[in-house]
Amino acid sequence: MKRKFTKQETSWMYYDWASNAFSMIITTAIFPIFYKAQATAAGVEAADSTAYLGYTIAIFTFILAMIGPVLGTIADYEGYKKRFFVSFLLLGLISTFSLIFVPEGEWLLLLILFTLASLGLTGANLFYDAFIIDVTDNKRMNKVSARGFGYGYIGGAIPFLISIAIILLAQEGIIPISSTTASKIAFFIAVIWWAIFSIPMIKNVKQIHGIKREPNPIRTSFRRLKETVTSIRQYKHLTIFLIAYFFYIDGVGTIISMSTAYGTDVGLSATVLLVVLFVTQIVAAPFAILYGRLADRFSAKLMLNIGVFIYIIVCIYGYFLETALDFWILAMLVATSQGGLQALSRSYYAKLIPKHKSNEFFGFYNIFGKFASVTGPVLMGVTTQMTGKSNAGVLSLIVLFIIGAIVLAFVPSDKKLLNEQNGNLNVS
């Protein structure tokens, strides 16, 4: 008989449901289109505004990459993980709410608040990811992590659909508000959704694994971090996986964050972009869960390789994108693997780390992922500006996926890891 999800597992998964409202409305869809419109109105060229958005993403990811391991090391003390999670959550909520009050044409202020809001989201996600070892065991991590991403896509799609409806009704004059006001209402919806559905996570998920508190925790944390860095070579599989993750997740994150700006540059209307992105959310949900089930049947490593291969196809196809149909095909390809690749990366990594130091090690997971997110948008931004073509920027990302696939070949199957942990070296 299949074991049902526990209250803690479900509460943890529902934070993906909560935070994906921000990811969809702010990171991926409505905010980039809103920002592009404001920048254009202020006289900024299309290619330049796309590049500035890429540079902004690089800045906030660089900041979090630098502080992530330090904060993670401190958060490994008993009772600290939840405090850090809530602090970053509040930063994200307050900054997102502030977007509503930005005057028209102030594109630079939009980018500043977007930076703070994104810091809040990604900072909270660092500790949210680390909580996976507190809510479930190694055998269930693939399933729980993938189900979280599946919930996230549905949780992002609902407020996104409401926001699209408001924007379209405003554009058609059916409701007496401007498109700018409609977009700001969408920002408000993202804040409310994110806040309300974070409550189960805050209320029901507790830190199980950690270390006893010590005097001078900050100073001691720096010492522990230094010790981990100097001894990181003893975690051979973990180190190799992080290098692979650095490259392939770079491409994934860049494609997600730059997709609407890219679609705008190739001439697609805001309406088409919003509809495509909504359908992408719906398609991605079952595929994320499917990745988790297939990972349990075969292995997470195999499914990671499949996901990376599909993204290589995405980069090639994106270079030749010309029509709305092409964008639809590209979006559906992304939908098949986007969530699964991220979910299984999280669960595979969680199986490699010492549980009592989960925050510290997820800090390294974060630093590799975020430093990767610095190079991807910069690579795309620079290529776009040099060539004057956004599709060349998309093609340039193929290098990241190819390198990631090559390095990933040198890590063991998670099936083998699980058997080793159970004292059985036979690979199933």
Side-chain angles (χ1 to χ4, degrees), residues 310-330:
I310 290 175
Y311 266 95
I312 290 174
I313 296 175
V314 166
C315 292
I316 297 172
Y317 193 87
Y319 179 75
F320 298 99
L321 187 147
E322 293 180 351
T323 67
L325 177 60
D326 290 330
F327 196 81
W328 271 100
I329 295 172
L330 196 69

Side-chain angles (χ1 to χ4, degrees), residues 228-245:
T228 300
V229 171
T230 56
S231 63
I232 194 70
R233 285 177 296 180
Q234 75 183 57
Y235 302 99
K236 178 183 176 182
H237 296 155
L238 183 149
T239 304
I240 295 173
F241 174 74
L242 282 178
I243 294 172
Y245 176 75

Side-chain angles (χ1 to χ4, degrees), residues 354-376:
K355 288 182 167 49
H356 66 286
K357 301 174 74 174
S358 64
N359 293 287
E360 179 180 350
F361 276 83
F362 264 103
F364 285 106
Y365 183 77
N366 174 78
I367 197 171
F368 274 77
K370 298 312 175 187
F371 266 129
S373 295
V374 172
T375 57

Side-chain angles (χ1 to χ4, degrees), residues 115-156:
T115 299
L116 294 174
S118 299
L119 272 173
L121 175 79
T122 53
N125 280 347
L126 187 162
F127 301 102
Y128 164 69
D129 287 341
F131 265 116
I132 192 172
I133 60 99
D134 297 299
V135 301
T136 193
D137 56 43
N138 285 353
K139 290 183 179 180
R140 293 171 59 82
M141 278 186 186
N142 289 336
K143 184 180 298 182
V144 171
S145 184
R147 182 64 64 96
F149 267 91
Y151 281 7
Y153 285 121
I154 301 301

Side-chain angles (χ1 to χ4, degrees), residues 34 54 73 84 89 199 205 237 248 310 333 371 381 385 396 411:
F34 178 78
T73 306
F84 279 97
L89 174 61
I199 294 174
V205 175
H237 296 155
Y248 71 72
I310 290 175
L333 280 173
F371 266 129
Q385 284 193 307
S396 69
V411 301

Side-chain angles (χ1 to χ4, degrees), residues 170-370:
Q171 290 176 346
E172 295 297 322
I174 297 175
I175 54 177
I177 59 175
S178 66
S179 295
T180 297
T181 300
S183 295
K184 291 184 176 183
I185 291 174
F187 302 160
F188 179 73
I189 291 172
V191 171
I192 296 301
W193 188 276
W194 187 10
I196 290 176
F197 290 106
S198 294
I199 294 174
M201 172 75 183
I202 296 172
K203 182 180 178 183
N204 299 322
V205 175
K206 309 295 181 184
Q207 182 177 357
I208 304 299
H209 301 283
I211 61 177
K212 298 292 182 181
R213 299 188 190 184
E214 303 172 282
N216 302 315
I218 295 178
R219 182 187 306 171
T220 306
S221 294
F222 274 100
R223 187 177 69 248
R224 288 194 296 111
L225 181 61
K226 180 181 178 181
E227 292 171 354
T228 300
V229 171
T230 56
S231 63
I232 194 70
R233 285 177 296 180
Q234 75 183 57
Y235 302 99
K236 178 183 176 182
H237 296 155
L238 183 149
T239 304
I240 295 173
F241 174 74
L242 282 178
I243 294 172
Y245 176 75
F246 173 90
F247 285 102
Y248 71 72
I249 209 65
D250 184 357
V252 173
T254 304
I255 288 173
I256 292 172
S257 60
M258 301 295 289
S259 59
T260 50
Y262 173 53
T264 300
D265 287 350
V266 296
L268 299 180
S269 69
T271 302
V272 171
L273 286 172
L274 293 176
V275 173
V276 172
L277 289 170
F278 171 73
V279 176
T280 300
Q281 291 288 106
I282 301 301
V283 173
F287 272 99
I289 296 172
L290 178 62
Y291 259 72
R293 291 180 177 176
L294 292 176
D296 284 341
R297 182 173 179 179
F298 300 104
S299 74
K301 179 184 175 181
L302 174 62
M303 298 310 299
L304 288 173
N305 278 308
I306 290 174
V308 171
F309 176 73
I310 290 175
Y311 266 95
I312 290 174
I313 296 175
V314 166
C315 292
I316 297 172
Y317 193 87
Y319 179 75
F320 298 99
L321 187 147
E322 293 180 351
T323 67
L325 177 60
D326 290 330
F327 196 81
W328 271 100
I329 295 172
L330 196 69
M332 294 306 102
L333 280 173
V334 170
T336 63
S337 299
Q338 175 178 291
L341 196 54
Q342 294 177 89
L344 296 183
S345 296
R346 178 169 64 188
S347 60
Y348 182 91
Y349 182 76
K351 296 171 186 176
L352 296 174
I353 63 176
K355 288 182 167 49
H356 66 286
K357 301 174 74 174
S358 64
N359 293 287
E360 179 180 350
F361 276 83
F362 264 103
F364 285 106
Y365 183 77
N366 174 78
I367 197 171
F368 274 77
K370 298 312 175 187

Side-chain angles (χ1 to χ4, degrees), residues 15 24 44 64 66 94 111 113 148 165 327 415:
Y15 181 72
M24 194 63 196
V44 181
L64 193 66
M66 294 301 295
I94 293 170
L111 289 181
L113 290 174
F327 196 81
K415 292 281 189 179

